[in-house]
């Protein structure tokens, strides 16, 4: 296991850092051991889009996918490449505004017989997630380090503390939580993500369809009167 800490990932906040775009637009970064980029794109049902030479070209192709839709985009671009890590080759997949690394069915399939780790941000809103899967099982996941779930929610507590996260309470104000999550991912994968790595990689790309909206039959509205008495109204789809 590496000795990475949040200090090793201070570059993501640099004013000149290319990762600033990912933080602004929202991103998901996924690492899977022993699965090739083409295999990963196949598992996530991506439509092949060829190769992007470097981070700048990946962002350009991402914008081209968005521009193809008049209203809300129905898909997003995922780029993947091979990188060395603990135990052999890993695939690093990166998306802007995508959610490959947060969809359980994808992560369960990708991690079958191996390990998969992802972290993400939805851009403007302060929502940041971390997921660790092992052999198809979600072992530890959190938005806030102190609110962990999964089959082994406390297994990473010691490592989380070492990288700068606080599994017992509020995050220390002098530690960049996002940088610490990068370090936690490195501890689990052996993959050191650097600005040069992302800038110079050859990304195999594919277009991934957005998840369809869930069907719903009714909504429930809670009501409270002036005396504090509560009731509710349930409305069917055909009543709205």
């Amino acid at each position: 296991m590496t000795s990475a800490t949040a200090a090793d990932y201070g570059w993501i906040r640099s004013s000149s850092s290319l990762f600033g775009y990912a933080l602004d637009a929202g991103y998901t970064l996924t690492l899977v051991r022993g699965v090739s980029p083409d295999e990963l794109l196949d598992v996530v049902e991506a439509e092949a889009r060829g190769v992007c030479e470097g981070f700048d070209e990946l962002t350009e192709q991402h914008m081209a996918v968005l521009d193809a839709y008049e209203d809300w985009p129905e898909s997003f671009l995922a780029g993947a490449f091979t990188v060395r890590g603990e135990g052999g080759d890993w695939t690093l997949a990166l998306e802007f505004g995508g959610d490959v690394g947060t969809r359980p069915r994808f992560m369960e399939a990708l991690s079958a017989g191996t390990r998969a780790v992802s972290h993400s941000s939805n851009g403007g809103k302060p929502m940041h997630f971390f997921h660790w899967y092992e052999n198809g099982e979600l072992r530890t996941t959190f938005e806030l380090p102190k609110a962990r779930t999964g089959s082994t929610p406390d297994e990473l507590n010691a490592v989380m503390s070492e990288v700068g996260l606080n599994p017992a309470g509020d995050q220390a104000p002098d530690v960049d939580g996002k940088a610490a999550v990068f370090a936690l991912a490195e501890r689990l994968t052996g993959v050191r993500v650097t600005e040069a790595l992302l800038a110079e990689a050859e990304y195999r790309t594919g277009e991934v369809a957005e998840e369809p909206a869930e069907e719903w039959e009714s909504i429930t509205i809670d009501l409270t009167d002036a005396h504090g008495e509560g009731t509710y109204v349930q409305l069917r789809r055909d009543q709205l």
Side-chain angles (χ1 to χ4, degrees):
M1 182 179 290
T2 74
S3 58
T5 68
D8 294 303
Y9 286 93
W11 64 266
I12 66 173
R13 302 292 187 182
S14 168
S15 60
S16 61
S17 169
L18 55 76
F19 205 75
Y21 175 81
L23 293 172
D24 289 341
Y27 80 94
T28 301
L29 191 154
T30 305
L31 291 157
V32 186
R33 182 174 55 205
V35 173
S36 73
D38 286 335
E39 289 171 333
L40 182 146
L41 293 172
D42 184 57
V43 168
V44 304
E45 303 165 6
E47 180 180 348
R49 289 289 299 265
V51 174
C52 287
E53 299 288 348
F55 187 92
D56 288 344
E57 188 173 330
L58 181 69
T59 59
E60 290 172 4
Q61 289 299 315
H62 159 71
M63 294 302 299
V65 169
L66 296 185
D67 290 344
Y69 296 97
E70 293 183 1
D71 298 313
W72 191 259
E74 299 174 7
S75 64
F76 57 87
L77 190 73
F81 62 92
T82 301
V83 62
R84 292 292 294 178
E86 183 178 309
D89 286 342
W90 292 67
T91 285
L92 186 156
L94 180 62
E95 320 119 46
F96 308 116
D99 60 358
V100 161
T102 66
R103 296 191 197 180
R105 69 185 181 95
F106 287 165
M107 292 295 281
E108 289 166 5
L110 288 169
S111 65
T114 188
R115 173 175 290 183
V117 175
S118 72
H119 52 89
S120 61
S121 170
N122 66 338
K125 298 178 181 178
M127 296 174 64
H128 308 275
F129 296 98
F130 175 87
H131 304 276
W132 165 39
Y133 281 79
E134 198 87 17
N135 297 318
E137 178 182 63
L138 178 59
R139 299 287 297 276
T140 304
T141 182
F142 58 83
E143 179 182 1
L144 299 176
K146 64 181 179 181
R148 302 171 306 283
T149 57
S151 64
T152 58
D154 298 330
E155 186 168 343
L156 300 180
N157 285 10
V159 180
M160 290 173 68
S161 296
E162 290 174 9
V163 301
L165 297 169
N166 183 2
D170 294 334
Q171 185 63 36
D174 60 338
V175 175
D176 184 340
K178 178 58 67 178
V181 164
F182 266 85
L184 180 60
E186 180 179 334
R187 292 286 191 106
L188 287 168
T189 65
V191 175
R192 170 64 59 94
V193 179
T194 66
E195 188 165 24
L197 177 72
L198 298 179
E200 300 167 6
E202 181 179 271
Y203 296 83
R204 304 288 298 179
T205 65
E207 199 168 333
V208 183
E210 292 282 4
E211 289 274 53
E214 293 184 4
E215 292 291 331
W216 56 275
E217 298 299 327
S218 64
I219 61 172
T220 300
I221 303 172
D222 289 314
L223 304 172
T224 303
D225 63 21
H227 303 288
E229 296 293 327
T231 186
Y232 69 91
V233 175
Q234 188 170 56
L235 299 174
R236 301 188 309 274
R237 181 196 293 269
D238 60 1
Q239 294 177 301
L240 296 174

